[in-house]
Amino acid sequence: MTYTGEVTVGGAPDTREAGDLVITKIAVGPMANNAYLLRCALTGEQVLIDAAAEAPRLLELIGDGGLARVITTHRHADHWGALEEVVRATGAETVAGEDDADELPVDVDVRVRTGARVRVGSCELEVIEVVGHTPGSIVLVYDDPDGVTHLFTGDSLFPGGVGRTWSPDDFMRLCGDVESKIFARFDDDTWFYPGHGDDSTLGAERPSLPDWRARGW
């Protein structure tokens, strides 16, 4: 089956292979949050991005392979509703952006800023701070050496616009970070996985950047 990234709450997850990284996307909870289980095909190590909700479903997805760490993209509660239960069941290390870490319901073992690296077995995720949706939001980058770049954007970037902000200053900061740290750096074939809804590519969204700024949300 071809990966589409179109998942629904209660429905089946969707999985793709990106070089040595296997990416499984699942939708959970009342706000239809996306959670992403990453598995290194060489070592079997697994990492979860956003233990958002429905801990039993996430633990079923994790299975018997264990969980090395959970990365939380930002402080909003719909992205960490199952975090305590998942960590308690797996003993996973917790990772979050430095400026959001104190707002999570668990002690954060590893607080990260731009340039930090998070391992998934033999694979590596780069951290980029993208500020505006929250002070400590992070985007995670996997650069497949044999393919395209993959971005896990949390609620900072969606198909059709940047994430929600609560002031004009926050909106301008988020737009600026998204443009300078993501669109200015990565190619059009870069695939991104948001915190809710369907995936997209930077090439599909790039022409709309001026319109996003003009509409102010």
Side-chain angles (χ1 to χ4, degrees), residues 7-8 53 57 72 81-82 86 89 96-97 99 101 103 139 145 152 164 168 202 210:
V7 294
T8 58
R57 288 197 71 206
T72 304
V86 168
D99 291 335
E103 304 301 319
V139 169
F152 300 90
R164 182 182 179 186
L202 295 189

Side-chain angles (χ1 to χ4, degrees), residues 162 175 178-179 183 205-214:
V162 298
C175 276
V178 164
E179 289 177 353
F183 282 94
E205 308 302 322
R206 194 182 301 275
S208 300
L209 286 172
D211 294 334
W212 298 353
R213 276 193 175 271

Side-chain angles (χ1 to χ4, degrees), residues 20 39-46 120-123:
D20 293 334
R39 178 173 60 84
C40 173
L42 299 180
T43 69
E45 184 171 82
Q46 298 190 124
V120 188
S122 66
C123 303

Side-chain angles (χ1 to χ4, degrees), residues 63-79:
D64 297 329
L67 190 67
R69 53 196 59 89
V70 183
I71 308 170
T72 304
T73 59
H74 63 287
R75 66 173 67 184
H76 290 156
D78 60 308
H79 290 263

Side-chain angles (χ1 to χ4, degrees), residues 19-164:
D20 293 334
L21 191 69
V22 180
I23 302 168
T24 300
K25 177 180 181 179
I26 190 171
V28 292
M31 297 184 69
N33 285 75
N34 295 326
Y36 299 94
L37 183 68
L38 311 183
R39 178 173 60 84
C40 173
L42 299 180
T43 69
E45 184 171 82
Q46 298 190 124
V47 170
L48 182 67
I49 298 177
D50 284 348
E54 297 186 53
R57 288 197 71 206
L58 296 179
L59 291 170
E60 181 182 11
L61 186 68
I62 293 163
D64 297 329
L67 190 67
R69 53 196 59 89
V70 183
I71 308 170
T72 304
T73 59
H74 63 287
R75 66 173 67 184
H76 290 156
D78 60 308
H79 290 263
W80 52 252
L83 182 59
E84 285 181 284
E85 189 171 345
V86 168
V87 169
R88 185 166 57 249
T90 63
E93 178 181 72
T94 54
V95 182
E98 174 69 46
D99 291 335
D100 275 6
D102 288 340
E103 304 301 319
L104 301 189
V106 299
D107 291 334
V108 174
D109 300 310
V110 181
R111 297 166 177 249
V112 294
R113 290 198 178 276
T114 295
R117 307 280 173 163
V118 182
R119 304 297 303 181
V120 188
S122 66
C123 303
E124 189 174 67
L125 305 176
E126 177 191 349
V127 175
I128 302 175
E129 293 170 278
V130 176
V131 178
H133 183 67
T134 69
S137 289
I138 56 174
V139 169
L140 300 157
V141 184
Y142 171 62
D143 188 6
D144 179 357
D146 299 316
V148 302
T149 301
H150 301 260
L151 306 179
F152 300 90
T153 58
D155 284 359
S156 291
L157 176 64
F158 295 95
V162 298
R164 182 182 179 186

